Amino acid sequence: MENLGAILQVVQTQPLATAAVLGGFSLLFSLFLSLKGGSGNKRSGLPSVPAVPGLPLIGNLLQLKEKKPYKTFMQLAEKYGPIYSIRTGSFTVIVVNSIQIGKEAMVTRFSSMSNRKLSSALKILTLDKCMVAISDYNDFHKTIKKHILTNVLGPNAQKRHRSHRDTMVENISTQLSEHVKTSPTSAVNFREIFASELFGLSLKQGLGSDIESVFVEEFDDNLSREEIYRILVLDIMEGALEVDWRDFFPYLQWVPNKSLERKVQNLYFRREAVMLALIKEQKRRIASGKEINCYIDYLLAEAKDLTKEQLYMLLWETIIETSDTTLVTTEWAMYELSKDKKRQDRLYEEIKNVCGNEKLTEDHISKLPYLGAVFHETLRKNSPAPIVPLRSVQDDIELGGYHIPAGSEVAINIYGCNMDKSHWEDPHKWMPERFLDEKYDPMDLYKTLAFGAGKRVCAGSLQASLIACTTIGRLVQEFEWKLKPGAEAEDVDTVGLTTHRLHPLQVKLKPRSS
């Protein structure tokens, strides 16, 4: 984004030098659009979506200079309606901020807009869509989704991996209890503990065991667990935010952008080196005759047509997605409960009535409707992935009653959909009670668009709900949660590709009386 900002600054600070060029581009570009799109509307008989006014050449890029476009999109929806178009350089993007239209795009119109549009950074970091979550909907996607559901994320796989999740929740409880014993008056950093345990869970599911260190030949160094986490998770999440201004102006691809290219390629190289080192160790373990129910053992045995790069990418995907998005949801839920004693007490009473003196487990979740409501309301208000990756429209379609020409791109703003005042009462308030309404099926994981919809619905939705609900419920069952003094007015803004809290959750805990 800094590169884009520099270009926009030049355009703004040197108007005399650039006016003629921009004017010429704008005139030619307007002529091109009129020739390309005008007849389509006449043939369809449908109106075009409302267009947000922008500047010549750059369109609405100045309005998107902040790294939280989902909030900008929602603000624009208040003026232009739930569906509108913006210009991002050379491209038209249709922005959807309505659950009804979002579902229409994801389900009814899926076949005409199933392909992903990625930034240059994401193309590199995803090995050109070599991930279940990012790949186009084709035979490769169907194959790799089958693999991940079979061994990691599907219902049967979840049953096989349950012991890992049970151990994770027990470890978190034990660490929090130790903190209360040793430092009863000090706040605890919840994110630090939970993130470490989630990473351990992802490693067990992917590689068969938690990893304390690994020797990486390319670095000629033995990396610690913290360094592995940084390279595989944190660095990539930050790198995915990198924006190449050339993405908006394809005719300028010949202009070098070496600093960004070097940065992203370095992230790719470091991740590849660590993943290949981890895989090398596991191949030695398998060769010794020790097999484990984990993803790498399954892929090596059942997916022999995968290339070396595809193998490590599919394995890495399970690590980063388990480590990140569930962390975001659970931390936000514990924040909301920590500052809302009334609702925290309500959840505790429900747990006490159902579980009695037993520790809460996954078996209890279906009997705890308010716990489910807390989970879904947190997803609604703080969806981990606020915008669905852009989808390209292959054919002229109708969406929301409007004509959408082929060649457009569609951005489904999950945040905007879940903050739509016409659909949600007081959407900015965290009110789990809204999901106790009888119109919602207690077992339905897709009450909001947080997990998507249709054929591209999130493969990890079941695992995310099991981890988050069990963790939230167990921690409320065992401790009273209160924000660190002074944190009530804390900046709760978000940062990163997913909606991480700007600051880790700091809480004071008090053990419940048995």
Side-chain angles (χ1 to χ4, degrees):
M1 207 65 178
E2 293 176 356
N3 295 321
L4 174 60
I7 290 176
L8 296 178
Q9 186 176 18
V10 170
V11 172
Q12 290 177 298
T13 57
Q14 299 182 18
L16 295 179
T18 60
V21 176
L22 292 180
F25 271 125
S26 178
L27 180 61
L28 291 172
F29 197 57
S30 298
L31 178 61
F32 170 75
L33 288 178
S34 65
L35 291 173
K36 181 180 179 182
S39 60
N41 291 348
K42 292 178 181 178
R43 286 199 301 269
S44 69
L46 296 171
S48 299
V49 296
V52 178
L55 296 174
L57 186 64
I58 64 174
N60 304 100
L61 287 176
L62 276 179
Q63 293 160 284
L64 302 175
K65 61 184 178 181
E66 298 295 332
K67 289 190 176 181
K68 297 181 181 64
Y70 55 93
K71 292 189 175 181
T72 302
F73 288 161
M74 187 191 71
Q75 293 166 0
L76 291 173
E78 295 176 357
K79 182 175 182 179
Y80 297 98
I83 179 171
Y84 54 81
S85 69
I86 61 172
R87 296 294 306 175
T88 56
S90 301
F91 301 100
T92 297
V93 179
I94 310 300
V95 183
V96 174
N97 294 271
S98 156
I99 282 187
Q100 290 82 1
I101 302 175
K103 287 182 178 179
E104 181 184 352
M106 292 178 175
V107 181
T108 309
R109 310 301 177 195
F110 176 81
S111 61
S112 296
M113 47 179 293
S114 59
N115 291 338
R116 302 294 201 190
K117 174 67 183 298
L118 303 183
S119 67
S120 295
L122 280 175
K123 283 182 182 178
I124 295 171
L125 295 176
T126 65
L127 193 62
D128 196 13
K129 306 181 183 180
C130 186
M131 294 175 64
V132 175
I134 297 296
S135 61
D136 291 335
Y137 190 74
N138 51 27
D139 289 341
F140 177 72
H141 170 85
K142 295 173 186 177
T143 299
I144 60 177
K145 187 171 183 177
K146 178 183 177 182
H147 289 324
I148 199 170
L149 287 173
T150 299
N151 188 262
V152 184
L153 299 178
N156 290 331
Q158 289 297 294
K159 292 177 183 177
R160 293 195 300 272
H161 291 299
R162 176 171 171 174
S163 61
H164 296 322
R165 298 193 300 276
D166 290 344
T167 299
M168 182 199 74
V169 175
E170 195 65 42
N171 288 345
I172 295 170
S173 172
T174 299
Q175 291 180 65
L176 294 178
S177 295
E178 286 299 319
H179 174 86
V180 171
K181 289 179 182 178
T182 58
S183 306
T185 61
S186 65
V188 63
N189 185 328
F190 174 69
R191 183 189 298 176
E192 184 176 53
I193 293 174
F194 190 42
S196 178
E197 289 298 325
L198 273 177
F199 184 53
L201 172 66
S202 73
L203 293 175
K204 289 177 182 178
Q205 291 184 157
L207 301 171
S209 63
D210 203 342
I211 305 296
E212 291 302 321
S213 64
V214 65
F215 179 77
V216 181
E217 292 182 12
E218 289 82 353
F219 305 160
D220 192 27
D221 195 9
N222 203 57
L223 300 187
S224 67
R225 189 176 186 274
E226 291 73 21
E227 290 170 317
I228 298 171
Y229 179 67
R230 161 60 65 180
I231 292 171
L232 297 186
V233 180
L234 300 182
D235 286 351
I236 302 297
M237 295 303 292
E238 293 175 7
L241 286 173
E242 294 294 333
V243 177
D244 188 339
W245 57 266
R246 297 173 302 180
D247 290 340
F248 305 110
F249 309 100
Y251 48 82
L252 295 178
Q253 288 294 326
W254 56 272
V255 179
N257 193 358
K258 295 298 184 183
S259 61
L260 181 139
E261 292 171 358
R262 282 194 297 268
K263 180 175 182 179
V264 176
Q265 289 289 355
N266 184 55
L267 294 175
Y268 180 93
F269 166 76
R270 289 170 61 81
R271 178 191 60 189
E272 180 180 53
V274 172
M275 286 304 304
L276 293 180
L278 291 171
I279 291 173
K280 186 176 181 179
E281 281 199 353
Q282 298 311 310
K283 284 184 174 180
R284 288 199 198 100
R285 185 253 306 161
I286 295 171
S288 71
K290 185 178 180 182
E291 296 185 1
I292 303 174
N293 173 31
C294 62
Y295 199 31
I296 186 172
D297 290 47
Y298 169 85
L299 289 176
L300 291 173
E302 303 294 334
K304 296 180 180 179
D305 56 334
L306 294 176
T307 67
K308 177 183 70 174
E309 290 78 15
Q310 289 172 337
L311 174 68
Y312 90 71
M313 281 296 300
L314 297 182
L315 183 59
W316 168 78
E317 180 179 11
T318 66
I319 293 174
I320 192 168
E321 291 176 358
T322 300
S323 299
D324 186 74
T325 52
T326 309
L327 166 64
V328 173
T329 300
T330 308
E331 186 178 32
W332 275 114
M334 298 315 300
Y335 165 79
E336 297 286 1
L337 289 167
S338 297
K339 71 172 185 175
D340 193 331
K341 187 177 186 305
K342 181 179 178 180
R343 290 187 168 98
Q344 183 183 159
D345 288 345
R346 178 173 178 174
L347 177 57
Y348 173 67
E349 287 302 318
E350 178 183 78
I351 294 170
K352 186 177 179 181
N353 290 336
V354 171
C355 299
N357 294 325
E358 296 179 354
K359 290 183 178 180
L360 184 149
T361 68
E362 293 178 7
D363 298 326
H364 295 109
I365 292 177
S366 63
K367 304 172 186 177
L368 298 166
Y370 195 66
L371 174 60
V374 166
F375 173 67
H376 288 292
E377 176 66 349
T378 304
L379 280 176
R380 183 199 66 79
K381 187 169 180 282
N382 298 287
S383 180
I387 300 178
V388 174
L390 291 177
R391 294 186 181 186
S392 300
V393 179
Q394 296 101 281
D395 311 298
D396 286 6
I397 60 171
E398 177 185 348
L399 187 61
Y402 293 99
H403 170 78
I404 309 297
S408 303
E409 297 167 3
V410 176
I412 301 174
N413 186 20
I414 302 297
Y415 178 83
C417 293
N418 291 336
M419 290 291 168
D420 183 0
K421 293 178 182 178
S422 67
H423 189 85
W424 306 99
E425 179 184 356
D426 294 325
H428 290 281
K429 291 184 179 180
W430 187 76
M431 300 188 301
E433 297 77 21
R434 71 174 87 239
F435 287 107
L436 296 179
D437 192 301
E438 61 183 12
K439 68 181 179 181
Y440 294 112
D441 179 354
M443 302 307 293
D444 180 14
L445 285 176
Y446 310 110
K447 297 178 176 65
T448 69
L449 289 183
F451 292 125
K455 294 180 180 179
R456 290 302 298 259
V457 72
C458 177
S461 56
L462 175 59
Q463 175 174 272
S465 67
L466 290 174
I467 294 174
C469 288
T470 307
T471 303
I472 295 165
R474 177 75 177 275
L475 298 184
V476 168
Q477 180 185 38
E478 297 186 354
F479 304 97
E480 293 180 36
W481 289 68
K482 187 176 181 180
L483 292 177
K484 176 183 177 181
E488 292 82 356
E490 175 186 2
D491 182 358
V492 293
D493 206 349
T494 59
V495 63
L497 184 64
T498 49
T499 54
H500 278 282
R501 285 170 42 82
L502 185 60
H503 303 291
L505 177 62
Q506 300 274 349
V507 289
K508 296 192 69 173
L509 303 176
K510 180 181 177 182
R512 302 275 186 186
S513 55
S514 56

